[in-house]
Amino acid sequence: MLEQRIQQHFIDSADLKYQAAQTLSTPIAAAVQAMLACVTSGGKVLACGNGASAAEAQQFAAFCVAGFERERPELAAMALTADSTLLTAGPGGAQDPGSQQFARQVRALGQAGDLLLALSVSGNDANLLAATEAAHERDMTVVVLTGRNGGQLGAVLRETDVLISVPHDRAARVREVHALVLHCLCDGVDAQLLGEQEIPL
Ligand SMILES: O=C(CO)[C@@H](O)[C@H](O)[C@H](O)[C@H](O)COP(=O)(O)O
């Protein structure tokens, strides 16, 4: 029955979030500290991902610049997923396997102290691996959100990078938790910058 199927989504999503609250709070706190260090020293966040994760990257950049739940000064952030001309320009554009266009933007815009935020369920996308390599070339910190085990992205991170891997195999569940993680990042940064306070409804 359809209602039961829908209810099961709510139950499964809540179960995963409950289960992940404890294990993910430590890497999320580390990501908040990395982001704070970046934005308070004049750095910027570059966010990327493919498909649904591109939308989440854009949402995150919008929260940084336009605000999350509280009034605060704008934080420097941009999504690398929003320029269709650049993303489809060849060679190395969307028509080529293993697009270089995220990596190119990182090399063009990234500076030491900036932060790359990459989102991927599998953790195996070649264009995100290339962007991570470019970020390391620029001495940027990398924060990666993935599904279970982190995939290839998890394996190339440095000690100062942060891996937030959601312990589930179903893409929809992983993306739901990614959305929650991004909210935690925004709230954590706001709390550190502005002090803890009740959020009005
Ligand atoms: O986001 C959607 C559907 O909207 C997917 O089809 C998505 O484009 C693909 O899974 C991409 O390859 C992204 O994969 P992943 O990096 O999340 O593993």
Side-chain angles (χ1 to χ4, degrees):
M1 182 163 125
L2 185 57
E3 278 85 353
Q4 260 177 348
R5 195 177 173 89
I6 292 166
Q7 285 168 24
Q8 197 59 48
H9 276 288
F10 278 82
I11 291 163
D12 291 349
S13 187
D15 276 352
L16 174 60
K17 286 171 182 159
Y18 191 79
Q19 180 200 325
Q22 207 165 5
T23 47
L24 294 191
S25 58
T26 300
I28 295 171
V32 168
Q33 296 301 344
M35 203 177 139
L36 268 173
C38 166
V39 296
T40 57
S41 55
K44 62 187 167 300
V45 178
L46 303 177
C48 58
N50 295 306
S53 296
E56 290 192 314
Q58 286 171 219
Q59 173 77 79
F60 182 72
F63 282 146
C64 291
V65 175
F68 178 52
E69 291 182 316
R70 297 160 71 180
E71 284 288 327
R72 60 145 165 72
E74 294 80 4
L75 302 179
M78 69 176 283
L80 305 181
T81 51
D83 184 340
S84 55
T85 305
L86 172 64
L87 292 174
T88 56
Q95 75 279 30
D96 291 350
S99 166
Q100 291 295 312
Q101 305 306 44
F102 292 155
R104 286 203 169 112
Q105 291 181 85
V106 171
R107 283 195 290 271
L109 303 170
Q111 295 182 320
D114 289 348
L115 186 146
L116 178 73
L117 176 79
L119 298 110
S120 168
V121 173
S122 64
N124 292 331
D125 296 352
N127 59 348
L128 298 180
L129 283 159
T132 299
E133 194 181 326
H136 286 155
E137 280 168 25
R138 290 283 182 267
D139 282 328
M140 294 168 60
T141 301
V142 181
V143 173
V144 173
L145 274 63
T146 68
R148 199 188 291 285
N149 84 29
Q152 294 173 46
L153 276 173
V156 299
L157 295 186
R158 294 177 171 171
E159 217 169 89
T160 46
D161 296 332
V162 182
L163 173 65
I164 301 171
S165 67
V166 177
H168 207 281
D169 296 316
R170 188 167 174 177
R173 293 287 89 83
V174 172
R175 290 195 196 104
E176 286 158 10
V177 178
H178 282 181
L180 180 59
V181 170
L182 297 182
H183 290 167
C184 292
L185 286 180
C186 293
D187 175 72
V189 168
D190 283 3
Q192 297 291 312
L193 289 176
L194 306 172
E196 304 207 4
Q197 75 172 43
E198 289 297 312
I199 306 297
L201 291 176

